[in-house]
Amino acid sequence: MKPLVRVNDFVVKFANVNGSGSASANRLFAQSIIRMGVPATPRNIFPSNIQGLPTWYEVRVSEAGYLGARAGTDLMVAMNPQTWDKDVGGIVPGGYLFYDSTRPLPASKFRDDITVLGLPLTAICNAEYTDPRQRQLFKNILYVGALSAILDIDPAAIEQLIAEQFKAKEKLIAPNVHAFRLGRAHAEKSLPCPIGLTVRRADKVGERIFLEGNSAAALGAVYGGATACAWYPITPSTSLAEAYQRWCARFRTDPETKEKRYAIVQAEDELASIGMVIGAGWNGARAFTATSGPGISLMQEFLGLAYFAEVPAVIFDVQRAGPSTGMPTRTQQCDVLSCAYASHGDTKHVLLFPEDPRECFELGAAAFDLADRLQTPVFVLLDLDIGMNERLVAPLAWDDTRRMDRGKVMTAEMLESGRDFGRYLDVDDDGIPWRTWPGTHPTRGAYFTRGTSRDRYARYTEEGDAYRDNMERLLKKFATARTLVPAPIRRDAPGGSRLGVIYYGSTAPAMDEALDVLAAEGIGLDALRVRAFPFHADVKRFVQEHERVFVVEQNRDAQLRSLLVVEEEIDPARLVRVLHYDGTPITADAIVGEIAAHARVTPLRRAQSHGSQPQGV
């Protein structure tokens, strides 16, 4: 088997032990490739415990700019004996294995179809350092140095990153640079450098920034006007609330008085946190919580209160694999239905589906306008793959002339003028009533917030006509939401196709690549990325224009497809499931395999073109 020869197009996977201090070294490796102008996408695969169990860090290098996960490993950096067999088994034929060769291993532990690169890292560290902790930490930097030689990465790029990483602790710069150079020198002396996989400087990163989804969503909350956050720690959403606190310390703290212009409460549980958010929203604050699937389950009754009493709230749901505890540190898109219909009775909630950290920022900010405008809970559905991994995205942008849309809020002047105020009175047929904030007027505009049935003036009643009137108005408001949520983005095949594909959220990077691969194989698809529920009118129109539409999602039960069938009354036979739910991010290979198999059974017939330009806002 010939060794792989690839430039700026390969996957490196690190196998470490959780708690070994490898995370910063692995990130340093990924950043160095980006600094050389080559797109790289890292993914952290970690266990749901504190330390001691296996952890992996995967870096896809792709000058073509493909940011989705890819099956197979081209270079395995095997630093964990516990997972050796699995890690070596995952290397593609012709790939490479780099490992710590301090302790000899029998030939049975290797493969004949890969290139083995051994360096005695532990022995080198033991000879250089006496402190056990230093030996462990500098061993990580040592292998980064070795990899820089093996892959022909510019050492200056890594040394500059080390200086930036430790700029607040300058005394650590020199020791880390020394360890890096030590590892590089040993590799250059003992190993064939470079190997067939190499990094060559390019100009494919441009102005893009390297950003984590949870941090971007938290910044979106700040720009969206949020001043209150109540949350309870849960993987993988905890870092979103923590990032909000950091951003607020920077942007919502008076520089002179140090007065904090925000409130963050770590509640005793998820139920308390959503209760606080609803209370803040009723009082006129823009408030949110960050949680995951188990938290959504606990919040159900309060979410029904916010829907029925019509109180604005934003919920960032960073999805993980369920049900129950499931796999807390694995990714899925499995909360779609539980969020869409959260709470008992007839409820329907607004959902937003960001595809990457940039949209986490944009839709995170937009969620607060939508919640205020519609007077209802709005869910922003990230997942672990987006939320806890860094991604290259276009620089964040903000229009400084943009103003918050607070919706229909009746002022004291409006009340004083004699305007008729009924808290649940629809005066312009969009389903959205006017509201007041507490204390707006000394004698007018007050109402009692309740979760029980009432009439248009918020007066308690169990009369069937009043209840039905209110429920139908809520449906009308949901129809209005359809016109306000972000429109889907469309990408048509040249010449059009009778086959289409619908996808959303974190499936986007793999889907973008899959469309290119399928097109190269002569299989063209029209594609639509859905960004919100209720579905924009373009979604049903897209389905109607195609004989078959694939629906790509990362859950077992085809949850978005179920929404399409139920809410848009689409024939289920027209919607073909493409599902992935093992907790890892979906890959282009998986999508291509499913769609190509179907296309071969039902050959394409070109339809009239629907245009090739992306549509949407």
Side-chain angles (χ1 to χ4, degrees):
M1 176 66 65
K2 280 189 175 183
L4 293 177
V5 177
R6 292 178 184 164
V7 178
N8 296 347
D9 182 19
F10 52 85
V11 173
V12 180
K13 193 169 187 177
F14 298 81
N16 300 102
V17 175
N18 204 26
S20 65
S22 60
S24 60
N26 296 344
R27 184 175 185 269
L28 186 72
F29 171 82
Q31 285 181 299
S32 68
I33 295 172
I34 292 172
R35 284 291 176 91
M36 290 184 68
V38 182
T41 307
R43 283 180 169 82
N44 194 13
I45 306 163
F46 58 99
S48 56
N49 77 329
I50 297 173
Q51 64 179 22
L53 289 183
T55 183
W56 293 269
Y57 189 84
E58 185 176 277
V59 181
R60 182 175 184 185
V61 180
S62 172
E63 186 174 342
Y66 294 127
L67 303 179
R70 201 210 75 186
T73 303
D74 301 314
L75 169 60
M76 171 58 69
V77 182
M79 295 293 130
N80 186 359
Q82 291 177 290
T83 60
W84 177 274
D85 292 340
K86 177 181 178 181
D87 296 332
V88 173
I91 303 171
V92 301
Y96 301 82
L97 169 67
F98 176 82
Y99 78 108
D100 181 358
S101 61
T102 301
R103 296 180 61 183
L105 293 173
S108 60
K109 286 292 185 181
F110 301 99
R111 286 169 45 190
D112 294 335
D113 61 345
I114 62 174
T115 300
V116 178
L117 307 165
L119 201 66
L121 299 171
T122 300
I124 295 170
C125 285
N126 289 346
E128 189 74 17
Y129 307 103
T130 56
D131 179 79
R133 185 58 177 164
Q134 280 190 333
R135 286 175 171 174
Q136 176 59 58
L137 294 177
F138 286 128
K139 178 181 174 181
N140 299 325
I141 300 299
L142 209 73
Y143 71 61
V144 172
L147 291 174
S148 73
I150 291 170
L151 299 172
D152 202 21
I153 299 173
D154 185 356
I158 298 180
E159 291 186 15
Q160 181 182 353
L161 285 165
I162 291 173
E164 292 173 8
Q165 182 176 328
F166 295 108
K167 64 182 178 181
K169 299 178 180 179
E170 288 191 12
K171 65 180 182 180
L172 296 178
I173 295 175
N176 278 276
V177 169
H178 173 72
F180 166 74
R181 290 176 176 174
L182 188 65
R184 183 177 175 90
H186 275 275
E188 288 175 331
K189 181 180 178 180
S190 307
L191 299 174
C193 296
I195 58 173
L197 307 178
T198 54
V199 180
R200 184 183 301 159
R201 280 198 175 273
D203 187 20
K204 299 298 183 179
V205 173
E207 298 298 317
R208 283 184 286 180
I209 60 175
F210 199 43
L211 186 61
E212 181 191 79
N214 280 353
S215 182
L219 186 60
V222 173
Y223 273 75
T227 56
C229 168
W231 65 293
Y232 183 76
I234 181 172
T235 302
S237 71
T238 296
S239 62
L240 197 158
E242 293 172 342
Y244 177 74
Q245 186 167 10
R246 292 194 302 272
W247 291 123
C248 282
R250 180 174 176 182
F251 295 119
R252 293 206 184 283
T253 302
D254 189 288
E256 295 181 1
T257 66
K258 306 303 179 185
E259 179 184 4
K260 296 178 179 179
R261 297 169 177 167
Y262 60 95
I264 300 177
V265 180
Q266 182 177 322
E268 62 267 32
D269 54 33
E270 288 89 348
L271 187 61
S273 67
I274 190 62
M276 293 175 187
V277 168
I278 293 169
W282 169 81
N283 203 40
R286 289 192 157 185
F288 75 94
T289 189
T291 190
S292 191
I296 297 295
S297 297
L298 291 171
M299 295 176 184
Q300 294 287 305
E301 187 172 0
F302 257 141
L303 290 168
L305 171 65
Y307 172 80
F308 201 50
E310 299 181 65
V311 179
V314 172
I315 302 95
F316 290 96
D317 177 11
V318 190
Q319 300 167 92
R320 70 190 207 188
S324 187
T325 305
M327 295 192 291
T329 58
R330 297 294 184 265
T331 194
Q332 270 192 19
Q333 295 174 312
C334 56
D335 296 347
V336 176
L337 288 177
S338 64
C339 290
Y341 301 127
S343 195
H344 56 278
D346 294 322
T347 57
K348 291 184 182 182
H349 297 293
V350 175
L351 314 180
L352 303 179
F353 306 117
E355 71 159 342
D356 61 13
R358 180 184 171 89
E359 280 200 346
C360 288
F361 170 76
E362 294 173 349
L363 299 188
F368 292 91
D369 276 352
L370 285 169
D372 268 350
R373 178 82 176 271
L374 296 165
Q375 301 172 29
T376 197
V378 173
F379 293 79
V380 184
L381 267 61
L382 298 73
D383 56 35
L384 186 145
D385 187 35
I386 299 175
M388 294 194 70
N389 288 311
E390 292 172 298
R391 190 89 55 84
L392 279 174
V393 295
L396 306 185
W398 187 260
D399 181 1
D400 287 333
T401 65
R402 177 175 168 178
R403 294 294 177 264
M404 290 188 291
D405 182 355
R406 300 310 303 264
K408 296 180 179 178
V409 180
M410 199 166 283
T411 64
E413 292 75 19
M414 295 167 71
L415 291 166
E416 192 67 37
S417 70
R419 290 275 295 267
D420 183 21
F421 175 71
R423 176 61 186 95
Y424 302 106
L425 179 64
D426 181 10
V427 297
D428 48 13
D429 206 36
D430 64 357
I432 306 171
W434 285 81
R435 61 176 172 144
T436 58
W437 292 328
T440 296
H441 192 281
T443 59
R444 300 175 184 174
Y447 64 94
F448 188 78
T449 301
R450 64 174 80 245
T452 51
S453 181
R454 67 275 165 163
D455 66 12
R456 297 177 182 182
Y457 290 87
R459 297 174 300 213
Y460 168 74
T461 178
E462 293 188 14
E463 290 294 327
D465 288 344
Y467 172 79
R468 187 175 61 252
D469 175 70
N470 192 57
M471 294 297 287
E472 289 175 354
R473 181 184 56 77
L474 288 170
L475 271 182
K476 188 179 295 183
K477 180 167 72 170
F478 200 68
T480 298
R482 183 191 296 261
T483 68
L484 301 177
V485 297
I489 293 178
R490 181 165 176 164
R491 170 184 171 182
D492 280 354
S497 172
R498 69 180 182 84
L499 296 179
V501 61
I502 287 176
Y503 61 105
Y504 63 103
S506 64
T507 60
M511 192 67 241
D512 291 341
E513 181 179 1
L515 289 169
D516 290 346
V517 174
L518 287 164
E521 295 181 6
I523 303 173
L525 276 84
D526 298 337
L528 191 76
R529 178 166 67 87
V530 172
R531 297 200 290 167
F533 173 76
F535 299 118
H536 191 279
D538 288 348
V539 176
K540 186 170 186 177
R541 188 177 304 118
F542 179 84
V543 176
Q544 291 172 334
E545 290 173 356
H546 297 86
E547 292 181 23
R548 291 288 185 275
V549 175
F550 299 95
V551 184
V552 181
E553 46 189 322
Q554 299 182 78
N555 57 68
R556 184 196 67 183
D557 294 338
Q559 295 186 25
L560 190 82
R561 178 182 178 276
S562 296
L563 279 183
L564 288 166
V565 170
V566 172
E567 297 293 333
E568 301 300 324
E569 298 182 343
I570 293 170
D571 179 3
R574 301 183 67 179
L575 302 177
V576 182
R577 300 175 178 89
V578 178
L579 305 176
H580 177 85
Y581 49 89
D582 66 1
T584 64
I586 194 170
T587 66
D589 287 345
I591 297 172
V592 169
E594 291 279 344
I595 293 178
H598 188 280
R600 280 193 290 268
V601 173
T602 55
L604 291 178
R605 182 180 70 251
R606 293 296 183 190
Q608 185 178 358
S609 173
H610 306 302
S612 60
Q613 296 300 316
Q615 300 174 11
V617 296

